Every structure is written in structure tokens, then in C-alpha cells.
Amino acid sequence: PRISFVTDVEGDLSYLRRFVEISEVITYGDEEDRKRIEFLDDGDSNGAHLVFGGDICDKGGNDLEVMRQLLDFKERYPDRVHLILGNRDVNKIRMS
């Protein structure tokens, strides 16, 4: 299967959107809304995987929206979306 890897979004929603726009693996289900990430292979169980390598939140100002989009994606595709917490994520969780 194809694997797409992204890391260090750090709460920057425009960075996440740019990644999704250039990805050959994922897209936004609704181009106008840009809130629901989908696989380009229509969720084929033998299809691609997304690995998110950490630092979901930090200084971008949109921590909750970035986290919401990634968790929604993970919930719909638990075996194909892999979220790895980074040091910034762990620090935010500890301080919350």
C-alpha cells in the first residue's frame, strides 16, 4: 500500500490544508468546507495509509481544529490512520 507521512503541523491549519492539497493519498471530501479528510482511494481496505508523526499542536493557533480533523479521520479509518504523539503534544496534554 501507499503510505503518506506528515509531521510537525503544530496547530497550523493552513499547513495541514496545503499538505492535503498536494497529497497523492488524501484529499478533502468537500473542497469548499475543507474539514473532512478522505482517502483518494475511497476507503478501499487495501489502500493507502496516513502516518502522522507527531507535534499536532503547539504554536499555530488552531490546535483544536487540527486535532479534530485528524481524530475524525482516525475514527473512520482506525487501521489506516496512524497518529504518533510528539513531544509538543505530550507537553500540552500534561499541562491541560
Side-chain angles (χ1 to χ4, degrees):
R2 296 179 77 172
I3 298 172
S4 187
F5 183 85
V6 65
T7 187
D8 295 314
V9 171
E10 297 182 356
D12 186 341
L13 190 56
S14 64
Y15 179 85
L16 177 63
R17 286 179 175 162
R18 283 192 309 274
F19 174 78
V20 173
E21 288 169 4
I22 65 170
S23 175
E24 296 179 8
V25 172
I26 59 176
T27 188
Y28 278 109
D30 180 354
E31 288 299 319
E32 292 294 318
D33 192 21
R34 297 197 314 173
K35 290 187 178 180
R36 189 172 176 108
I37 301 170
E38 298 288 346
F39 282 106
L40 286 170
D41 60 17
D42 295 325
D44 177 10
S45 62
N46 294 317
H49 288 250
L50 172 71
V51 177
F52 192 93
D55 292 347
I56 295 168
C57 47
D58 187 27
K59 48 194 163 195
N62 290 299
D63 293 349
L64 293 177
E65 179 59 23
V66 169
M67 182 69 77
R68 189 204 61 74
Q69 287 187 23
L70 292 172
L71 289 175
D72 174 66
F73 197 36
K74 171 74 174 168
E75 182 178 38
R76 289 181 286 119
Y77 302 102
D79 297 332
R80 296 178 60 202
V81 176
H82 312 277
L83 304 177
I84 301 167
L85 291 178
N87 63 314
R88 296 178 193 279
D89 305 320
V90 172
N91 289 340
K92 282 253 180 166
I93 291 169
R94 280 195 333 214
M95 297 184 77
S96 297

